[in-house]
Amino acid sequence: MHVLVTGAHGMLGRAVAAEAEARGWVLVPLGRTDLDITDLTAVRSTLREHRPEVVVNCAAYTDVDGAEEHRERAFLVNGLGPRNLALACREMNAELLHVSTDYIFDGRKDGPYGVYDDPCPVNVYGASKLWGERAVTSLTARFYIVRVSWLFAPWGKNFVATMLRLGRERERLRVVDDQYGCPTYAPDLARLLLDLIATRCYGVYHATNQGVTIWYGFARAIMKQAGLPARVEPCTSADFPRPARRPANSVLDPFPLRETVGYLLPYWEDALERCLKEMRKEGLL
């Protein structure tokens, strides 16, 4: 398989590139300095040069709070970028796997969100990602849209890394306890994404590690598994105001993921244990 990965230096892109390389796939890993996906001419030129069978789009503007102030940039990267990739993939007869987010939902549903539940984002980031989804589905038929949530890895900026840093610096941490979701380990997700590509079953999917928690519960598990003494205390979202609203419930129902690839990802607690083990191995913990 010949795969081109955008956002290859980011948290998920790095994991996808490593997984593709481990499988012996022909890999073209491109960071933001290698390819600006908001430039259609550059996208077309790059795909004509490399002629990949599939493009995995991990490039994204992921600063949820920053998107409120930098709306145009968020829509350029998260909306126009996927549109450009979809157009170029259609012209080159290539497949496109586009990574989206749980934040396209408003969080008001009582229960997990299915792949065909109506989106209704409550912040600019979610709106920009939804724009990208709709661009992809309207411009090409050979697509996989995979919505993920609460992504973490041994590298990059993410909740686990932040909690570990704060847990070393402070005796007491306050973490919100009224937002529910599913933590997702980037290396686990990368393996699943490439397995999904191998099925050739196009469509929309939800992919997270199994298990539901709140940010407070996630933080407590991090402290416990890392052996840090910091005390984690619950607070409400109202106690911790931020520029962008977050959905209270962004739990994603994986159906029909198991029916397509044959398995679901491990539980998030197991993934967290493996993440911390890798961080210790690399001297990051």
Side-chain angles (χ1 to χ4, degrees):
M1 184 73 72
H2 186 179
V3 59
L4 185 150
V5 180
T6 65
H9 303 319
M11 181 166 46
L12 179 57
R14 177 175 167 179
V16 170
E19 180 67 24
E21 193 170 40
R23 296 184 183 207
W25 289 16
V26 177
L27 171 66
V28 182
L30 301 178
R32 73 174 67 175
T33 57
D34 304 308
L35 174 63
D36 177 3
I37 65 169
T38 69
D39 183 340
L40 179 58
T41 299
V43 169
R44 282 172 162 156
S45 175
T46 298
L47 263 65
R48 282 196 297 267
E49 176 185 355
H50 295 287
R51 308 190 71 83
E53 296 172 77
V54 59
V55 173
V56 179
N57 181 35
C58 297
Y61 183 99
T62 58
D63 184 349
V64 177
D65 288 323
E68 297 297 310
E69 180 180 357
H70 303 289
R71 179 185 180 91
E72 182 177 355
R73 183 60 185 166
F75 271 87
L76 278 170
V77 178
N78 295 338
L80 192 67
R83 185 210 70 165
N84 293 343
L85 290 168
L87 284 168
C89 283
R90 185 178 67 185
E91 293 165 2
M92 298 299 299
N93 199 31
E95 299 176 358
L96 174 61
L97 189 153
H98 174 60
V99 179
S100 191
T101 176
D102 55 331
Y103 277 20
I104 67 162
F105 297 114
D106 63 12
R108 299 172 67 181
K109 183 179 180 180
D110 183 16
Y113 282 93
V115 294
Y116 295 124
D117 279 334
D118 292 332
C120 184
V122 296
N123 55 46
V124 172
Y125 168 72
S128 68
K129 293 293 288 185
L130 179 59
W131 203 100
E133 281 195 19
R134 288 178 170 168
V136 169
T137 59
S138 66
L139 292 171
T140 182
R142 303 179 68 201
F143 69 85
Y144 315 86
I145 288 175
V146 183
R147 297 175 184 142
V148 306
S149 67
W150 297 22
L151 201 63
F152 69 98
W155 53 80
K157 183 181 179 182
N158 62 81
F159 185 76
V160 173
T162 299
M163 288 299 104
L164 290 173
R165 175 177 57 81
L166 295 176
R168 288 189 290 264
E169 295 173 354
R170 305 179 186 178
E171 296 179 356
R172 172 174 167 265
L173 307 177
R174 299 183 74 210
V175 182
V176 295
D177 68 350
D178 55 2
Q179 296 174 24
Y180 290 80
C182 306
T184 307
Y185 187 42
D188 286 351
L189 178 61
R191 175 171 62 94
L192 186 139
L193 294 180
L194 298 195
D195 286 344
L196 179 61
I197 289 169
T199 70
R200 296 289 169 85
C201 294
Y202 307 127
V204 180
Y205 295 92
H206 289 170
T208 69
N209 282 91
Q210 294 181 72
V212 176
T213 188
I214 53 179
W215 290 114
Y216 166 72
F218 194 14
R220 288 194 64 185
I222 293 166
M223 295 301 123
K224 181 178 180 181
Q225 289 197 24
L228 294 174
R231 185 171 72 254
V232 182
E233 299 177 353
C235 68
T236 67
S237 297
D239 294 329
F240 191 61
R242 303 177 73 174
R245 287 179 57 197
R246 266 71 169 173
N249 168 33
S250 62
V251 178
L252 300 178
D253 183 342
F255 181 81
L257 195 62
R258 189 205 303 267
E259 291 75 12
T260 304
V261 298
Y263 65 91
L264 295 177
L265 296 183
Y267 280 88
W268 67 264
E269 295 94 336
D270 171 79
L272 175 60
E273 183 177 349
R274 287 181 283 116
C275 178
L276 296 178
K277 182 179 180 180
E278 183 66 21
M279 294 180 79
R280 290 188 184 97
K281 178 182 174 183
E282 298 296 326
L284 301 174
L285 177 59

